[in-house]
Coordinates of all heavy atoms in Angstrom, one line a residue:
M1193 N -15.1 -22.8 17.6 CA -16.4 -22.3 17.3 C -16.3 -21.4 16.1 O -15.5 -20.6 15.9 CB -16.9 -21.5 18.5 CG -18.2 -20.8 18.4 SD -18.8 -19.9 19.8 CE -18.7 -20.9 21.1
N1194 N -17.3 -21.6 15.2 CA -17.3 -20.8 13.9 C -18.0 -19.5 14.2 O -18.5 -19.2 15.3 CB -18.0 -21.6 12.8 CG -19.5 -21.8 13.0 OD1 -20.2 -21.0 13.6 ND2 -19.9 -23.0 12.6
V1195 N -17.9 -18.6 13.3 CA -18.4 -17.2 13.4 C -19.9 -17.2 13.7 O -20.4 -16.5 14.6 CB -18.1 -16.4 12.2 CG1 -18.7 -15.0 12.3 CG2 -16.6 -16.2 12.0
Y1196 N -20.7 -18.0 13.0 CA -22.1 -18.1 13.2 C -22.4 -18.5 14.6 O -23.3 -17.8 15.3 CB -22.7 -19.1 12.2 CG -24.2 -19.3 12.4 CD1 -25.2 -18.4 12.0 CD2 -24.7 -20.4 13.1 CE1 -26.5 -18.5 12.2 CE2 -26.0 -20.6 13.4 CZ -26.9 -19.7 12.9 OH -28.3 -19.8 13.2
D1197 N -21.8 -19.6 15.1 CA -22.1 -20.0 16.4 C -21.7 -19.0 17.5 O -22.4 -18.8 18.5 CB -21.3 -21.3 16.7 CG -21.9 -22.5 15.9 OD1 -23.1 -22.4 15.5 OD2 -21.1 -23.5 15.7
S1198 N -20.6 -18.3 17.3 CA -20.2 -17.2 18.2 C -21.2 -16.1 18.2 O -21.5 -15.6 19.3 CB -18.8 -16.7 17.7 OG -18.4 -15.6 18.6
I1199 N -21.7 -15.7 17.1 CA -22.7 -14.6 17.0 C -24.0 -15.0 17.7 O -24.5 -14.3 18.5 CB -22.9 -14.2 15.6 CG1 -21.7 -13.5 15.0 CG2 -24.2 -13.3 15.5 CD1 -21.8 -13.2 13.5
M1200 N -24.4 -16.3 17.4 CA -25.6 -16.8 18.0 C -25.5 -16.9 19.6 O -26.4 -16.5 20.3 CB -26.0 -18.1 17.4 CG -26.5 -18.0 16.0 SD -27.9 -16.9 15.8 CE -29.1 -17.6 16.9
Q1201 N -24.3 -17.3 20.0 CA -24.1 -17.4 21.5 C -24.2 -16.0 22.1 O -24.9 -15.8 23.1 CB -22.7 -18.0 21.8 CG -22.4 -18.1 23.2 CD -21.0 -18.6 23.5 OE1 -20.3 -19.1 22.6 NE2 -20.6 -18.5 24.8
G1202 N -23.6 -15.0 21.5 CA -23.6 -13.7 22.0 C -25.1 -13.1 22.0 O -25.5 -12.5 23.0
L1203 N -25.8 -13.4 20.9 CA -27.2 -12.9 20.9 C -28.0 -13.6 21.9 O -28.9 -12.9 22.6 CB -27.8 -13.1 19.5 CG -27.2 -12.3 18.4 CD1 -27.8 -12.7 17.0 CD2 -27.6 -10.8 18.6
N1204 N -27.9 -14.9 22.1 CA -28.6 -15.6 23.1 C -28.3 -15.1 24.5 O -29.2 -14.9 25.4 CB -28.4 -17.1 23.0 CG -29.1 -17.7 21.8 OD1 -30.1 -17.2 21.4 ND2 -28.5 -18.7 21.2
E1205 N -27.0 -14.8 24.8 CA -26.6 -14.2 26.1 C -27.2 -12.9 26.3 O -27.7 -12.5 27.4 CB -25.1 -14.1 26.2 CG -24.4 -15.4 26.3 CD -22.8 -15.3 26.2 OE1 -22.3 -14.2 26.1 OE2 -22.2 -16.3 26.3
A1206 N -27.3 -12.1 25.2 CA -27.9 -10.7 25.4 C -29.4 -10.8 25.7 O -29.9 -10.1 26.5 CB -27.7 -9.9 24.1
V1207 N -30.1 -11.7 25.0 CA -31.5 -11.9 25.2 C -31.7 -12.4 26.7 O -32.6 -11.9 27.4 CB -32.1 -12.9 24.2 CG1 -33.5 -13.3 24.6 CG2 -32.1 -12.3 22.8
D1208 N -31.0 -13.4 27.1 CA -31.1 -13.9 28.5 C -30.8 -12.8 29.5 O -31.6 -12.6 30.5 CB -30.1 -15.0 28.7 CG -30.5 -16.3 28.1 OD1 -31.7 -16.5 27.7 OD2 -29.6 -17.2 27.9
F1209 N -29.8 -12.0 29.3 CA -29.5 -10.9 30.2 C -30.7 -9.9 30.2 O -31.1 -9.4 31.3 CB -28.2 -10.2 29.8 CG -27.8 -9.1 30.7 CD1 -27.2 -9.4 31.9 CD2 -28.0 -7.8 30.3 CE1 -26.8 -8.4 32.8 CE2 -27.6 -6.7 31.2 CZ -27.0 -7.0 32.4
S1210 N -31.2 -9.5 29.1 CA -32.3 -8.5 29.0 C -33.6 -9.0 29.7 O -34.3 -8.3 30.2 CB -32.6 -8.1 27.6 OG -33.2 -9.2 26.9
R1211 N -33.7 -10.4 29.7 CA -34.9 -11.0 30.4 C -34.7 -11.2 31.9 O -35.5 -11.7 32.6 CB -35.3 -12.3 29.7 CG -35.8 -12.1 28.3 CD -36.2 -13.4 27.7 NE -36.7 -13.2 26.3 CZ -36.8 -14.1 25.4 NH1 -36.4 -15.3 25.7 NH2 -37.3 -13.8 24.2
G1212 N -33.4 -11.0 32.3 CA -33.1 -11.2 33.7 C -32.7 -12.6 34.0 O -32.6 -13.0 35.2
N1213 N -32.5 -13.4 33.0 CA -32.2 -14.8 33.2 C -30.7 -15.0 33.5 O -30.2 -16.2 33.7 CB -32.6 -15.7 32.0 CG -34.1 -15.6 31.8 OD1 -34.8 -15.4 32.8 ND2 -34.5 -15.8 30.6
C1214 N -29.9 -14.0 33.3 CA -28.5 -14.1 33.5 C -28.0 -13.0 34.4 O -28.4 -11.9 34.3 CB -27.8 -13.9 32.1 SG -26.0 -13.9 32.1
K1215 N -27.3 -13.4 35.5 CA -26.9 -12.4 36.5 C -25.7 -11.6 36.1 O -25.4 -10.5 36.6 CB -26.6 -13.2 37.8 CG -27.8 -13.8 38.3 CD -27.6 -14.2 39.8 CE -28.8 -15.1 40.2 NZ -29.7 -14.5 41.0
S1216 N -24.9 -12.1 35.1 CA -23.7 -11.3 34.7 C -23.6 -11.4 33.2 O -24.0 -12.4 32.5 CB -22.5 -11.8 35.4 OG -22.2 -13.1 34.9
A1217 N -23.0 -10.4 32.7 CA -22.8 -10.3 31.2 C -21.5 -9.6 31.0 O -21.1 -8.7 31.8 CB -23.9 -9.6 30.5
R1218 N -20.8 -10.0 29.9 CA -19.6 -9.2 29.6 C -20.0 -7.8 29.1 O -20.8 -7.7 28.3 CB -18.8 -10.0 28.5 CG -18.2 -11.3 29.0 CD -17.5 -11.9 27.8 NE -18.6 -12.4 26.9 CZ -18.4 -13.1 25.8 NH1 -17.1 -13.4 25.4 NH2 -19.4 -13.5 25.1
V1219 N -19.4 -6.9 29.7 CA -19.6 -5.5 29.3 C -18.4 -4.8 28.9 O -17.3 -5.0 29.5 CB -20.2 -4.7 30.5 CG1 -20.5 -3.3 30.2 CG2 -21.5 -5.4 31.0
H1220 N -18.4 -4.2 27.7 CA -17.3 -3.4 27.2 C -17.7 -2.0 27.1 O -18.6 -1.6 26.5 CB -16.9 -3.9 25.8 CG -16.5 -5.4 25.8 ND1 -15.2 -5.8 26.1 CD2 -17.2 -6.5 25.5 CE1 -15.1 -7.1 26.0 NE2 -16.3 -7.5 25.6
K1221 N -16.9 -1.2 27.9 CA -17.2 0.3 27.8 C -16.1 0.9 26.9 O -15.0 0.6 27.0 CB -17.1 0.9 29.2 CG -18.2 0.5 30.1 CD -18.1 1.2 31.4 CE -19.3 0.7 32.3 NZ -19.3 1.5 33.6
I1222 N -16.6 1.8 26.0 CA -15.7 2.5 25.2 C -16.0 4.0 25.3 O -17.0 4.4 25.7 CB -15.8 2.0 23.7 CG1 -17.2 2.4 23.2 CG2 -15.5 0.6 23.5 CD1 -17.4 2.3 21.7
S1223 N -15.0 4.7 24.9 CA -15.2 6.2 24.9 C -14.5 6.7 23.6 O -13.5 6.1 23.1 CB -14.6 6.9 26.1 OG -13.2 6.7 26.1
V1224 N -15.1 7.6 23.0 CA -14.7 8.2 21.7 C -14.3 9.7 22.0 O -15.1 10.4 22.6 CB -15.8 8.1 20.7 CG1 -15.3 8.8 19.4 CG2 -16.2 6.7 20.4
A1225 N -13.1 10.0 21.6 CA -12.6 11.4 21.8 C -13.5 12.3 21.0 O -14.0 12.0 19.9 CB -11.2 11.5 21.3
P1226 N -13.8 13.5 21.5 CA -14.6 14.5 20.8 C -14.0 14.8 19.4 O -12.7 14.8 19.3 CB -14.7 15.7 21.7 CG -13.9 15.4 22.9 CD -13.3 14.0 22.8
V1227 N -14.8 15.2 18.5 CA -14.3 15.6 17.2 C -13.5 17.0 17.4 O -14.0 17.9 17.9 CB -15.4 15.8 16.2 CG1 -14.9 16.4 14.9 CG2 -16.2 14.5 16.0
P1228 N -12.2 17.0 17.0 CA -11.4 18.2 17.2 C -11.9 19.3 16.2 O -12.5 19.0 15.2 CB -10.0 17.8 16.8 CG -10.1 16.6 16.0 CD -11.4 15.9 16.4
Q1229 N -11.6 20.5 16.5 CA -12.0 21.7 15.6 C -10.7 22.2 15.1 O -9.6 22.2 15.7 CB -12.7 22.7 16.4 CG -14.0 22.3 17.1 CD -15.0 21.8 16.0 OE1 -15.3 22.5 15.1 NE2 -15.5 20.6 16.2
F1230 N -10.7 22.6 13.8 CA -9.5 23.2 13.1 C -9.8 24.5 12.5 O -10.9 24.6 11.8 CB -9.1 22.2 12.1 CG -8.6 20.9 12.6 CD1 -9.5 19.8 12.8 CD2 -7.3 20.7 13.1 CE1 -9.0 18.6 13.3 CE2 -6.9 19.5 13.6 CZ -7.7 18.5 13.7
G1231 N -8.9 25.4 12.7 CA -9.0 26.7 12.0 C -8.2 26.8 10.8 O -7.5 25.8 10.4
A1232 N -8.1 27.9 10.1 CA -7.4 28.1 8.9 C -5.9 27.8 9.0 O -5.3 27.0 8.2 CB -7.6 29.5 8.4
D1233 N -5.3 28.3 10.1 CA -3.9 28.0 10.3 C -3.6 26.5 10.6 O -2.6 26.0 10.1 CB -3.3 28.9 11.4 CG -3.3 30.3 11.1 OD1 -3.3 30.7 9.9 OD2 -3.3 31.2 12.1
D1234 N -4.5 25.9 11.2 CA -4.3 24.4 11.5 C -4.3 23.6 10.2 O -3.5 22.8 10.0 CB -5.5 23.9 12.4 CG -5.5 24.6 13.8 OD1 -4.4 24.8 14.4 OD2 -6.6 24.9 14.3
V1235 N -5.3 23.9 9.4 CA -5.4 23.2 8.1 C -4.2 23.4 7.3 O -3.6 22.4 6.7 CB -6.7 23.6 7.3 CG1 -6.7 22.9 6.0 CG2 -8.0 23.3 8.1
K1236 N -3.8 24.6 7.2 CA -2.6 24.9 6.4 C -1.3 24.2 6.9 O -0.5 23.7 6.2 CB -2.4 26.4 6.3 CG -1.3 26.9 5.3 CD -1.3 28.4 5.2 CE -1.4 28.8 3.7 NZ -1.5 30.2 3.5
S1237 N -1.2 24.3 8.2 CA -0.1 23.6 8.9 C 0.0 22.1 8.7 O 1.0 21.5 8.4 CB -0.1 23.9 10.4 OG 0.9 23.2 11.1
I1238 N -1.2 21.5 8.8 CA -1.3 20.0 8.5 C -0.9 19.7 7.1 O -0.1 18.8 6.8 CB -2.7 19.5 8.9 CG1 -2.9 19.6 10.4 CG2 -2.8 18.1 8.4 CD1 -4.4 19.3 10.8
R1239 N -1.4 20.5 6.2 CA -1.1 20.3 4.8 C 0.4 20.4 4.5 O 1.0 19.6 3.8 CB -1.9 21.2 3.9 CG -1.7 21.0 2.4 CD -2.6 21.9 1.5 NE -2.3 23.3 1.7 CZ -1.3 24.0 1.1 NH1 -0.4 23.3 0.4 NH2 -1.2 25.3 1.3
H1240 N 1.0 21.5 5.0 CA 2.4 21.7 4.9 C 3.2 20.6 5.5 O 4.2 20.2 4.9 CB 2.8 23.1 5.4 CG 2.5 24.2 4.5 ND1 3.2 24.5 3.4 CD2 1.5 25.2 4.6 CE1 2.7 25.6 2.8 NE2 1.6 26.0 3.5
D1241 N 2.8 20.2 6.7 CA 3.5 19.1 7.4 C 3.5 17.8 6.5 O 4.5 17.0 6.6 CB 3.0 18.8 8.7 CG 3.2 19.9 9.7 OD1 4.1 20.8 9.4 OD2 2.6 19.9 10.8
L1242 N 2.4 17.6 5.8 CA 2.3 16.5 4.9 C 3.1 16.6 3.6 O 3.2 15.7 2.8 CB 0.9 16.1 4.6 CG 0.0 15.7 5.8 CD1 -1.4 15.6 5.5 CD2 0.5 14.4 6.4
G1243 N 3.5 17.9 3.3 CA 4.2 18.2 2.1 C 3.3 18.1 0.9 O 3.8 17.6 -0.2
M1244 N 2.1 18.5 1.0 CA 1.1 18.3 -0.1 C 0.7 19.7 -0.6 O 0.6 20.6 0.1 CB -0.1 17.6 0.3 CG 0.1 16.1 0.7 SD -1.4 15.3 1.2 CE -0.8 13.7 1.7
T1245 N 0.4 19.7 -1.9 CA -0.2 20.9 -2.5 C -1.7 20.9 -2.1 O -2.2 19.9 -1.7 CB -0.1 20.9 -4.1 OG1 -0.9 19.7 -4.5 CG2 1.3 20.8 -4.5
Q1246 N -2.4 22.0 -2.4 CA -3.8 22.0 -2.1 C -4.5 21.0 -2.9 O -5.5 20.4 -2.4 CB -4.3 23.5 -2.3 CG -4.0 24.5 -1.3 CD -4.6 25.8 -1.5 OE1 -4.9 26.2 -2.6 NE2 -4.7 26.6 -0.4
V1247 N -4.1 20.8 -4.2 CA -4.8 19.9 -5.1 C -4.7 18.5 -4.5 O -5.7 17.7 -4.4 CB -4.2 20.0 -6.5 CG1 -4.8 18.9 -7.4 CG2 -4.5 21.4 -7.1
V1248 N -3.5 18.1 -4.1 CA -3.3 16.7 -3.6 C -4.0 16.5 -2.3 O -4.7 15.5 -2.0 CB -1.8 16.4 -3.5 CG1 -1.5 15.1 -2.8 CG2 -1.1 16.4 -4.9
F1249 N -3.9 17.5 -1.4 CA -4.5 17.5 -0.1 C -6.0 17.3 -0.3 O -6.7 16.6 0.5 CB -4.1 18.7 0.7 CG -4.6 18.6 2.1 CD1 -4.1 17.7 3.0 CD2 -5.5 19.5 2.6 CE1 -4.5 17.6 4.3 CE2 -5.9 19.5 3.9 CZ -5.4 18.6 4.8
A1250 N -6.6 18.1 -1.2 CA -8.0 18.0 -1.4 C -8.4 16.6 -1.8 O -9.4 16.1 -1.4 CB -8.4 19.0 -2.5
S1251 N -7.6 16.0 -2.7 CA -7.9 14.7 -3.1 C -7.9 13.7 -2.0 O -8.7 12.8 -1.8 CB -6.9 14.3 -4.2 OG -7.2 13.0 -4.7
V1252 N -6.8 13.8 -1.1 CA -6.7 12.9 0.0 C -7.9 13.1 1.0 O -8.4 12.1 1.5 CB -5.4 13.2 0.7 CG1 -5.3 12.5 2.1 CG2 -4.2 12.7 -0.1
M1253 N -8.3 14.3 1.2 CA -9.4 14.6 2.1 C -10.8 14.3 1.5 O -11.8 14.2 2.2 CB -9.4 16.1 2.5 CG -8.3 16.5 3.4 SD -8.4 15.8 5.0 CE -9.9 16.4 5.6
G1254 N -10.8 14.1 0.1 CA -12.1 13.8 -0.5 C -13.0 15.0 -0.7 O -14.2 14.9 -0.7
V1255 N -12.4 16.2 -0.8 CA -13.1 17.5 -1.0 C -12.5 18.2 -2.2 O -11.5 17.8 -2.8 CB -13.0 18.4 0.2 CG1 -13.6 17.7 1.4 CG2 -11.6 18.8 0.5
S1256 N -13.1 19.3 -2.6 CA -12.6 20.0 -3.8 C -11.5 20.9 -3.4 O -11.3 21.2 -2.2 CB -13.7 20.9 -4.4 OG -14.1 21.9 -3.5
T1257 N -10.7 21.3 -4.3 CA -9.6 22.2 -4.1 C -10.1 23.6 -3.5 O -9.5 24.2 -2.6 CB -8.8 22.5 -5.4 OG1 -8.4 21.2 -5.9 CG2 -7.6 23.4 -5.1
K1258 N -11.3 24.0 -4.0 CA -11.9 25.2 -3.5 C -12.3 25.1 -2.1 O -12.2 26.1 -1.3 CB -13.2 25.5 -4.3 CG -12.9 25.9 -5.8 CD -12.4 27.3 -5.8 CE -12.2 27.8 -7.3 NZ -11.4 29.0 -7.4
T1259 N -12.6 23.9 -1.6 CA -12.9 23.7 -0.2 C -11.7 23.9 0.6 O -11.7 24.6 1.7 CB -13.6 22.3 0.0 OG1 -14.8 22.3 -0.7 CG2 -13.8 22.1 1.5
V1260 N -10.6 23.3 0.2 CA -9.3 23.5 0.9 C -8.9 25.0 1.0 O -8.5 25.5 2.0 CB -8.2 22.6 0.4 CG1 -6.9 22.9 1.0 CG2 -8.6 21.1 0.5
E1261 N -9.0 25.6 -0.2 CA -8.7 27.1 -0.2 C -9.6 27.8 0.8 O -9.0 28.7 1.5 CB -9.0 27.6 -1.6 CG -8.0 27.1 -2.7 CD -8.4 27.5 -4.1 OE1 -9.4 28.3 -4.3 OE2 -7.7 27.1 -5.0
A1262 N -10.9 27.6 0.8 CA -11.8 28.3 1.7 C -11.4 28.0 3.2 O -11.4 28.9 4.0 CB -13.2 27.9 1.5
W1263 N -11.0 26.7 3.5 CA -10.6 26.4 4.8 C -9.4 27.2 5.2 O -9.3 27.8 6.3 CB -10.3 24.9 5.0 CG -11.4 24.0 5.0 CD1 -12.7 24.3 5.1 CD2 -11.4 22.6 4.8 NE1 -13.5 23.2 5.0 CE2 -12.7 22.1 4.8 CE3 -10.3 21.7 4.6 CZ2 -13.0 20.7 4.7 CZ3 -10.6 20.3 4.4 CH2 -11.9 19.9 4.5
E1264 N -8.4 27.2 4.3 CA -7.1 27.9 4.6 C -7.2 29.4 4.7 O -6.4 30.1 5.3 CB -6.0 27.5 3.6 CG -5.6 26.0 3.8 CD -4.5 25.6 2.9 OE1 -3.9 26.4 2.2 OE2 -4.1 24.4 3.1
Q1265 N -8.2 30.0 4.0 CA -8.5 31.4 4.1 C -9.4 31.8 5.2 O -9.6 33.0 5.4 CB -9.0 31.9 2.7 CG -8.0 31.8 1.6 CD -8.7 32.0 0.2 OE1 -9.9 32.4 0.1 NE2 -7.9 31.9 -0.8
G1266 N -9.9 30.8 5.9 CA -10.9 31.1 7.0 C -12.3 31.5 6.5 O -13.1 31.9 7.3
V1267 N -12.5 31.3 5.3 CA -13.9 31.6 4.7 C -14.9 30.5 5.3 O -16.0 30.8 5.7 CB -13.9 31.6 3.2 CG1 -15.3 31.7 2.6 CG2 -13.0 32.7 2.7
N1268 N -14.4 29.3 5.3 CA -15.2 28.2 5.8 C -14.3 27.4 6.8 O -13.1 27.6 6.8 CB -15.7 27.2 4.7 CG -16.6 27.8 3.7 OD1 -17.4 28.7 4.1 ND2 -16.6 27.3 2.5
V1269 N -15.0 26.6 7.6 CA -14.2 25.7 8.5 C -14.6 24.3 8.3 O -15.8 24.0 8.0 CB -14.5 26.1 10.0 CG1 -13.9 27.5 10.4 CG2 -15.9 26.0 10.4
P1270 N -13.6 23.4 8.4 CA -14.0 22.0 8.2 C -14.9 21.5 9.4 O -14.9 22.1 10.5 CB -12.6 21.3 8.3 CG -11.7 22.2 8.9 CD -12.2 23.6 8.7
N1271 N -15.7 20.5 9.1 CA -16.6 20.0 10.1 C -16.7 18.5 10.0 O -16.3 17.9 9.0 CB -18.0 20.7 10.1 CG -18.7 20.5 8.8 OD1 -18.5 19.6 8.1 ND2 -19.5 21.5 8.5
G1272 N -17.3 17.9 11.0 CA -17.6 16.5 11.0 C -16.5 15.6 10.6 O -15.4 15.6 11.2
P1273 N -16.7 14.7 9.6 CA -15.7 13.8 9.1 C -14.4 14.4 8.7 O -13.4 13.8 8.9 CB -16.4 13.1 7.9 CG -17.9 13.3 8.1 CD -18.0 14.6 8.8
S1274 N -14.5 15.6 8.1 CA -13.3 16.3 7.7 C -12.4 16.6 8.9 O -11.2 16.4 8.9 CB -13.6 17.6 6.9 OG -14.2 17.3 5.7
C1275 N -13.0 17.0 10.0 CA -12.2 17.3 11.2 C -11.6 16.0 11.8 O -10.5 16.0 12.3 CB -13.1 18.0 12.3 SG -13.4 19.7 11.9
R1276 N -12.4 14.9 11.7 CA -11.9 13.7 12.2 C -10.7 13.2 11.4 O -9.6 12.8 12.0 CB -13.0 12.6 12.2 CG -12.6 11.3 12.8 CD -12.4 11.4 14.3 NE -13.7 11.5 15.0 CZ -13.7 11.7 16.3 NH1 -12.6 11.8 17.1 NH2 -14.9 11.7 16.9
L1277 N -10.8 13.4 10.1 CA -9.6 13.0 9.2 C -8.4 13.9 9.5 O -7.3 13.4 9.6 CB -10.0 13.1 7.8 CG -10.8 12.0 7.2 CD1 -11.2 12.3 5.7 CD2 -10.0 10.7 7.2
L1278 N -8.7 15.2 9.7 CA -7.6 16.1 10.0 C -6.9 15.7 11.3 O -5.7 15.8 11.4 CB -8.1 17.6 10.0 CG -8.4 18.2 8.7 CD1 -9.2 19.5 8.9 CD2 -7.2 18.5 7.9
G1279 N -7.7 15.3 12.3 CA -7.1 14.9 13.5 C -6.2 13.6 13.4 O -5.2 13.5 13.9
F1280 N -6.7 12.7 12.5 CA -5.9 11.5 12.3 C -4.6 11.9 11.6 O -3.5 11.4 11.9 CB -6.7 10.5 11.4 CG -7.8 9.8 12.2 CD1 -9.0 9.5 11.5 CD2 -7.6 9.3 13.5 CE1 -10.0 8.9 12.2 CE2 -8.6 8.7 14.1 CZ -9.8 8.4 13.5
Y1281 N -4.7 12.7 10.6 CA -3.5 13.1 9.8 C -2.5 13.9 10.6 O -1.3 13.8 10.5 CB -3.9 13.9 8.5 CG -4.7 13.0 7.6 CD1 -5.6 13.6 6.7 CD2 -4.7 11.7 7.6 CE1 -6.3 12.9 5.8 CE2 -5.4 10.9 6.7 CZ -6.3 11.5 5.8 OH -7.0 10.8 5.0
R1282 N -3.0 14.7 11.6 CA -2.1 15.4 12.5 C -1.4 14.4 13.4 O -0.2 14.5 13.6 CB -2.9 16.4 13.3 CG -2.0 17.1 14.3 CD -2.7 18.0 15.3 NE -2.9 19.3 14.7 CZ -3.7 20.3 15.1 NH1 -4.5 20.0 16.1 NH2 -3.8 21.4 14.5
A1283 N -2.1 13.4 13.9 CA -1.6 12.5 14.8 C -0.6 11.5 14.1 O 0.3 11.0 14.7 CB -2.7 11.7 15.5
S1284 N -1.0 11.1 12.9 CA -0.2 10.1 12.1 C -0.1 10.6 10.7 O -0.8 10.1 9.8 CB -0.9 8.8 12.2 OG -0.2 7.8 11.5
P1285 N 0.9 11.5 10.4 CA 1.1 11.9 9.0 C 1.3 10.8 8.0 O 0.9 10.9 6.9 CB 2.3 12.9 9.1 CG 2.3 13.3 10.6 CD 1.8 12.1 11.3
A1286 N 2.0 9.7 8.5 CA 2.3 8.6 7.6 C 1.0 8.0 7.0 O 1.0 7.5 5.9 CB 3.1 7.6 8.3
S1287 N -0.1 8.0 7.8 CA -1.3 7.4 7.2 C -1.9 8.2 6.0 O -2.4 7.6 5.1 CB -2.4 7.4 8.3 OG -2.7 8.7 8.8
A1288 N -1.7 9.5 6.0 CA -2.1 10.3 4.9 C -1.2 10.1 3.7 O -1.6 10.1 2.6 CB -2.2 11.8 5.3
K1289 N 0.1 10.1 4.0 CA 1.1 9.9 3.0 C 1.0 8.6 2.2 O 1.3 8.5 1.1 CB 2.5 10.1 3.5 CG 2.8 11.5 4.0 CD 4.1 11.7 4.6 CE 4.4 13.1 5.0 NZ 5.7 13.3 5.6
Q1290 N 0.4 7.6 2.9 CA 0.2 6.3 2.3 C -0.8 6.3 1.2 O -0.8 5.5 0.3 CB -0.2 5.2 3.3 CG 1.0 4.8 4.2 CD 0.5 3.8 5.3 OE1 -0.7 3.5 5.3 NE2 1.4 3.3 6.1
L1291 N -1.7 7.3 1.2 CA -2.7 7.4 0.2 C -2.2 8.0 -1.1 O -2.9 8.0 -2.1 CB -3.9 8.3 0.8 CG -4.6 7.8 2.0 CD1 -5.6 8.8 2.5 CD2 -5.3 6.5 1.7
V1292 N -1.0 8.6 -1.1 CA -0.5 9.3 -2.2 C 0.6 8.4 -2.8 O 1.6 8.1 -2.1 CB 0.0 10.7 -1.9 CG1 0.6 11.4 -3.1 CG2 -1.1 11.5 -1.2
R1293 N 0.5 8.2 -4.1 CA 1.6 7.4 -4.8 C 2.0 8.2 -6.1 O 1.1 8.7 -6.8 CB 1.1 6.0 -5.2 CG 0.8 5.1 -4.0 CD 0.4 3.7 -4.4 NE 0.2 2.9 -3.3 CZ -0.9 2.7 -2.7 NH1 -2.0 3.4 -3.0 NH2 -1.0 1.9 -1.6
E1294 N 3.2 8.1 -6.3 CA 3.7 8.8 -7.6 C 3.4 7.9 -8.8 O 3.5 6.7 -8.7 CB 5.2 9.1 -7.5 CG 5.5 10.1 -6.5 CD 7.0 10.5 -6.6 OE1 7.5 10.6 -7.7 OE2 7.6 10.8 -5.5
A1295 N 2.9 8.5 -9.8 CA 2.6 7.8 -11.0 C 3.8 7.5 -11.9 O 4.8 8.1 -11.8 CB 1.6 8.6 -11.9

């Protein structure tokens, strides 16, 4: 079955199910871990564990060096996507290190 046919089959099954024409449907339940929170010491620890300067770490995170400085001094705290990335990098430092290549 090609991709188009597979998508159409799934959509038709969903429509039938919503109309009550189908007694069962495949259901996939997922759960997403809550976004972790990080303080100044956490950010600094993760950066040190990765062996990165603030400049390199800021580039990897997609933020300015001033932002990393503010996080590490406790002036600001990371939020949203930055916290999710920090969580990934804490769990798998190799993933962050793959983003950095020597010139």
Side-chain angles (χ1 to χ4, degrees):
M1193 178 180 308
N1194 65 38
V1195 174
Y1196 174 79
D1197 291 336
S1198 176
I1199 292 171
M1200 287 306 299
Q1201 178 183 350
L1203 289 172
N1204 287 328
E1205 288 174 4
V1207 169
D1208 286 344
F1209 182 77
S1210 71
R1211 291 180 178 163
N1213 298 334
C1214 178
K1215 297 196 188 250
S1216 65
R1218 290 178 289 184
V1219 177
H1220 298 278
K1221 292 185 179 183
I1222 62 167
S1223 62
V1224 177
V1227 177
Q1229 300 298 309
F1230 295 92
D1233 292 338
D1234 299 320
V1235 174
K1236 191 175 232 177
S1237 174
I1238 291 168
R1239 181 176 65 79
H1240 280 286
D1241 291 347
L1242 295 172
M1244 295 180 185
T1245 64
Q1246 286 182 337
V1247 173
V1248 172
F1249 188 66
S1251 182
V1252 167
M1253 290 294 297
V1255 298
S1256 70
T1257 305
K1258 292 287 185 191
T1259 298
V1260 172
E1261 290 173 4
W1263 288 346
E1264 291 186 359
Q1265 293 171 3
V1267 174
N1268 293 331
V1269 293
N1271 58 27
S1274 295
C1275 286
R1276 187 64 78 187
L1277 282 175
L1278 288 166
F1280 287 141
Y1281 295 155
R1282 175 186 275 166
S1284 177
S1287 61
K1289 291 178 181 179
Q1290 288 178 355
L1291 298 173
V1292 180
R1293 293 186 177 87
E1294 290 188 36

